[in-house]
Amino acid sequence: MFFIGKKTMAAALVMLLVFGAVAAGAAAVFMPAESTGVSVVVDAGHGGWDGGVTASDGTKESEINLELALELADKLERRGVAVVLTREDDNALADGKRADMEKRAEIIAASNAACVISLHLNSFPAQKSRRGVQVFYDDTGKGGSLAAALQAILNARINARYCGRTDLAPQAGDFFITKCSSLPSAIVECGFLSNAEDKALLQSKKFRSELCEALADAIYEIAVI
């Protein structure tokens, strides 16, 4: 004799609903996951007047950051993780850079979150071969464990497949967003807009979904399990 736990039973019921809908020719219906009681801040870097780095074809970092943030928030919420977004549209949070960053800090301070994930894009026009997803954290060491765990999964599931690399390591630095609170915080540079291959991937909805799936799995393992 064996017993099925409540969570296992709930997951099975969700799968039955999904497969039943598909079999009937209807769109799959995803039921909200049971709340884990954990929340995470997802920060879409830049926005509005602050477009961040811009590709040669005019693609703005701020726009892709927002797409990634919304995708990641959706995937986390499907896992029962509550998400606090610092911005939900392509507007800055304030008129100046300092005021914008201070507003983000206020949102983070009020969040009671387990961690902060800030999404950005990289650029290195002087060396256009540079590519891949890399994680950064506070140079005091805070967020180091979070960054290492994120980088390990990103290397295994994204960088290995698309860049042929598994050796990218998280880097420490002096960043406002990682220092503005006591929460473990990491900046994820999701690719290089200065690299043609990375830019094409970042413009692809399929790739953004795959990247956010890896991030959501990593965050769930770190913050919930």
Side-chain angles (χ1 to χ4, degrees):
M1 180 180 291
F2 64 95
F3 297 92
I4 299 176
K6 290 182 179 179
K7 288 186 177 180
T8 303
M9 180 64 78
L13 288 171
V14 170
M15 293 304 292
L16 284 172
L17 285 169
V18 171
F19 288 127
V22 172
V29 178
F30 291 91
M31 303 297 289
E34 180 182 348
S35 174
T36 61
V38 173
S39 62
V40 171
V41 174
V42 176
D43 171 56
H46 308 283
W49 53 266
D50 178 12
V53 298
T54 303
S56 57
D57 65 355
T59 301
K60 290 183 180 180
E61 175 190 358
S62 60
E63 295 172 353
I64 295 180
N65 289 345
L66 180 61
E67 293 285 346
L68 289 166
L70 295 175
E71 181 84 17
L72 178 57
D74 177 69
K75 293 183 183 302
L76 286 171
E77 287 168 352
R78 289 172 186 263
R79 289 162 171 77
V81 178
V83 176
V84 177
L85 289 163
T86 56
R87 67 182 179 97
E88 300 181 51
D89 55 35
D90 196 29
N91 291 307
L93 277 65
D95 291 336
K97 187 65 176 179
R98 183 182 180 86
D100 178 88
M101 296 305 292
E102 287 176 348
K103 182 62 178 176
R104 293 171 199 262
E106 290 174 12
I107 293 170
I108 291 168
S111 69
N112 194 33
C115 62
V116 179
I117 308 296
S118 186
L119 301 175
H120 288 260
L121 302 183
N122 226 326
S123 182
F124 194 7
Q127 194 173 335
K128 293 183 178 181
S129 61
R130 290 282 295 273
R131 60 180 308 199
V133 186
Q134 191 164 23
V135 185
F136 295 80
Y137 63 99
D138 188 6
D139 57 11
T140 65
K142 177 172 65 71
S145 296
L146 169 65
L150 288 169
Q151 189 70 69
I153 288 182
L154 290 168
N155 278 347
R157 291 175 53 178
I158 302 298
N159 289 330
R161 177 176 180 182
Y162 292 101
C163 308
R165 295 187 62 179
T166 58
D167 60 342
L168 285 172
Q171 299 292 315
D174 182 11
F175 311 108
F176 177 88
I177 204 73
T178 63
K179 290 179 179 291
C180 69
S181 77
S182 60
L183 300 177
S185 305
I187 296 170
V188 182
E189 296 278 357
C190 297
F192 284 76
L193 277 183
S194 52
N195 178 273
E197 292 94 338
D198 270 10
K199 183 183 72 172
L201 288 171
L202 289 163
Q203 291 171 328
S204 161
K205 186 173 181 178
K206 180 179 180 294
F207 174 79
R208 293 198 302 267
S209 179
E210 185 178 345
L211 172 58
C212 289
E213 196 75 32
L215 282 170
D217 282 345
I219 294 164
Y220 186 86
E221 290 181 17
I222 296 160
V224 179
I225 301 175

